[in-house]
Amino acid sequence: MSGTSSTSSTSSTSDITGTNGIKGTAELLARVEAAQQQGEQALAGAPTTADLKAAEAELLGRKSALAQLNTCLRDLTPEDRKLVGQAVNDARAKLISALANKKADLDAVDRARALQADRLDLTESLRTTSPSGVIQDRGHLHLVTQTRDELEDTFVAMGFSVAEGPEAETDWYNFEALNMPPAHPARGMWDTLYLKLGAPETVLLRTHTSPVQIHLMENQKPPIYAVMPGRCYRRDTPDARHLPVFHQIEGLVVDRGITFGDLAGTIEAFTEAFFGPGMHSRLRPSYFPFTEPSAEFEVTCPICGGDGCRTCSGSGWIELGGCGMVDPEVFAAVGIDPEEYSGFAFGFGIDRLAQVRHGIEDMRILLDNDLRFISQF
Ligand code: PHE
C-alpha cells in the first residue's frame, strides 16, 4: 500500500519539481491557490452527502493535490518552506471549513426530503398509492344513489323536472288525497309504519312517493312534468326482494289533452333511454286507487335481453312498477279541474331496479356495507 502511494507521490512530485530541480516558490504558491479554488468549486458543486464524502477524500486525503504539494516542501529553503507550508495549511483549513458548511447545507436538504416523505397527506384525491405501492381508492356513491342519479338524468333529458317531499307524512298525503279514505281496503296494499305524533295513526313514514304528487299539485298549476325520487318505508320483513327502507321514483304529468297513449309512449321512451336500444316496455292491467285505468309496467329483462332466464322466470319480462291515468278524485283533492286537465303517473322501486339490472340475488346485501360488494359498482 505505502509503496504504491509513494510511487504515485514521487511521479506527481516530479511534475512540480521537474527534472531540472526545484520550481520557484511563486509557482508552488500559485498551485496551492489553484488547488484551494478547485477544491472549493468541487465542494460547492457536490449534489449529495455521498458526493461530499468522495470529494473530502480527494481534496484532503493523502493523495490530494495539497498533500502532494506538502511533499515538495523539503526541497525548499527553510524560509520558503515556511511560506509555502503556511499557504498549504491555510488552504486546507479553508477547504475543511467549506466542507463543513456544505455538509450542513446538504444535511438540511436531506432532512427536508425525509420530512416530506414522511408527511401525512391529508388532501383528498381519487386514487393514491401508499409508499409500499398499495393502491388506495377513495369511496364512491352507493349503487342505489348512482342509480337514482342516472334515473334523474334520464328523466331530466326527457324534459322532466325533479321534486322532493317529506318522508314523514300525514295520513292525508299518503292515503286520503290519493283516493283512499280511512278504512279503505286498498290501504292494505301498503304495510304502514305510524309515528307516535298527534292522534293515533295520523302521522306515518310514507309508504310510497305518490304523496309528493299531491304536494306538487297543491303548490303548482299545470302543466306539470316532474319526477320525484326518495326514500320510502314499509313494515316489511327484509327478504331477498324486500327492504323495509327502500327508494322509489315517481313520475307525474298533468297537462291538457294527456292520454293513455302518452303514458305508454313515455314509459317506452324511458325504457330505451335508460336500459339501451332494443329494450322495450309493456303494460298489463292492474289496480291502484289513485289511477284509473291502472297498469303495471314491465321492461325487457336486462339480464337475458328478453330470451328468458332465471331472473325473469323464463318470460323475458321484468315487472318494474305501477302507473295509470290520474284519477279524477285525486284532481278533486288538490283542486285541479279534471274537465280541463288530464294526466298520468308512474312509480317504481330504485333498489329493485338496481337489483334486476345488476342481477343481485338478495337485496339485503345493498345495506350490508360489505366493500367486496359495494366496490364493484
Ligand atoms: N305508488 C305505487 C306503489 O307504491 C306506484 C304507483 C305510482 C302506481 C304512481 C301508479 C301511479 O306501488
Side-chain angles (χ1 to χ4, degrees), residues 109-129:
V109 171
D110 282 353
R111 226 183 355 266
R113 197 176 289 137
L115 278 175
Q116 180 71 16
D118 289 350
R119 193 171 68 108
L120 278 182
D121 184 3
L122 300 177
T123 56
E124 272 190 306
S125 73
L126 277 177
R127 171 165 270 199
T128 54
T129 308

Side-chain angles (χ1 to χ4, degrees), residues 161 220-226 252-256 258 341-342:
S161 58
Q220 186 185 329
K221 295 250 157 300
I224 297 171
Y225 293 81
L252 176 70
V253 167
V254 182
D255 206 342
R256 292 190 173 89
I258 298 295
Y341 291 104
S342 58

Side-chain angles (χ1 to χ4, degrees), residues 145-183:
T145 311
Q146 289 181 37
T147 310
R148 172 191 161 145
D149 288 352
E150 270 181 68
L151 287 167
E152 282 184 23
D153 288 349
T154 306
F155 282 115
V156 166
M158 290 168 68
F160 287 79
S161 58
V162 180
E164 277 182 302
E167 291 174 24
E169 280 289 11
T170 59
D171 182 272
W172 160 261
Y173 285 102
N174 198 80
F175 290 126
E176 206 163 335
L178 290 164
N179 195 27
M180 283 176 277

Side-chain angles (χ1 to χ4, degrees), residues 178 189-190 207-211 213 232 234 246 248-251 287-291 294-295 297 321-325 344-348:
L178 290 164
M189 293 167 73
W190 295 274
T207 60
H208 49 180
T209 42
S210 297
Q213 288 185 34
C232 305
R234 287 185 200 171
F246 60 101
Q248 279 192 341
I249 186 162
E250 189 89 5
Y287 169 77
F288 296 98
F290 32 91
T291 47
S294 301
F297 68 94
C323 61
M325 302 306 290
F344 64 78
F346 58 86
F348 56 91

Side-chain angles (χ1 to χ4, degrees), residues 4-18 22-23 27-29 31-33 35-36 38 57-76 81 84-85 87-89 91-92 95:
T4 331
S5 158
S6 70
T7 316
S8 83
S9 299
T10 315
S11 72
S12 298
T13 311
S14 69
D15 275 343
I16 297 166
T17 55
I22 305 161
K23 292 253 172 179
E27 182 173 350
L28 283 176
L29 287 175
R31 290 198 176 223
V32 172
E33 193 177 331
Q36 182 194 324
Q38 277 168 18
E58 205 180 300
L59 299 175
L60 301 170
R62 276 198 289 154
K63 292 187 199 166
S64 64
L66 286 179
Q68 285 171 21
L69 283 162
N70 250 339
T71 64
C72 302
L73 296 181
R74 60 179 176 233
D75 302 326
L76 298 176
R81 189 181 303 155
V84 179
V88 170
N89 283 346
R92 231 183 118 76
L95 286 183

Side-chain angles (χ1 to χ4, degrees), residues 127-336:
R127 171 165 270 199
T128 54
T129 308
S130 75
S132 55
V134 178
I135 290 173
Q136 298 157 320
D137 275 327
R138 198 182 75 174
H140 59 72
L141 294 177
H142 190 273
L143 172 61
V144 173
T145 311
Q146 289 181 37
T147 310
R148 172 191 161 145
D149 288 352
E150 270 181 68
L151 287 167
E152 282 184 23
D153 288 349
T154 306
F155 282 115
V156 166
M158 290 168 68
F160 287 79
S161 58
V162 180
E164 277 182 302
E167 291 174 24
E169 280 289 11
T170 59
D171 182 272
W172 160 261
Y173 285 102
N174 198 80
F175 290 126
E176 206 163 335
L178 290 164
N179 195 27
M180 283 176 277
H184 191 291
R187 288 184 176 216
M189 293 167 73
W190 295 274
D191 295 309
T192 313
L193 289 158
Y194 289 94
L195 295 174
K196 255 193 183 166
L197 272 176
E201 302 200 353
T202 53
V203 184
L204 49 84
L205 291 173
R206 69 180 178 193
T207 60
H208 49 180
T209 42
S210 297
V212 192
Q213 288 185 34
I214 305 299
H215 288 289
L216 216 58
M217 288 189 282
E218 279 179 344
N219 295 327
Q220 186 185 329
K221 295 250 157 300
I224 297 171
Y225 293 81
V227 289
M228 297 142 263
R231 202 178 279 137
C232 305
Y233 304 81
R234 287 185 200 171
R235 216 185 61 203
D236 273 339
T237 305
D239 65 24
R241 284 165 60 80
H242 297 90
L243 295 174
V245 181
F246 60 101
H247 303 78
Q248 279 192 341
I249 186 162
E250 189 89 5
L252 176 70
V253 167
V254 182
D255 206 342
R256 292 190 173 89
I258 298 295
T259 67
F260 197 87
D262 294 320
L263 166 60
T266 301
I267 300 256
E268 176 70 7
F270 158 74
T271 304
E272 259 207 73
F274 186 78
F275 291 99
M279 302 293 279
H280 296 291
S281 62
R282 68 177 187 183
L283 304 181
R284 316 181 87 193
S286 186
Y287 169 77
F288 296 98
F290 32 91
T291 47
E292 179 59 33
S294 301
E296 256 156 26
F297 68 94
E298 301 183 337
V299 296
T300 313
C301 174
I303 301 295
C304 62
D307 294 340
C309 66
R310 223 159 60 89
T311 303
C312 59
S313 313
S315 72
W317 295 95
I318 288 276
E319 187 203 320
L320 208 57
C323 61
M325 302 306 290
V326 179
D327 194 291
E329 289 296 331
V330 175
F331 281 143
V334 293
I336 289 179

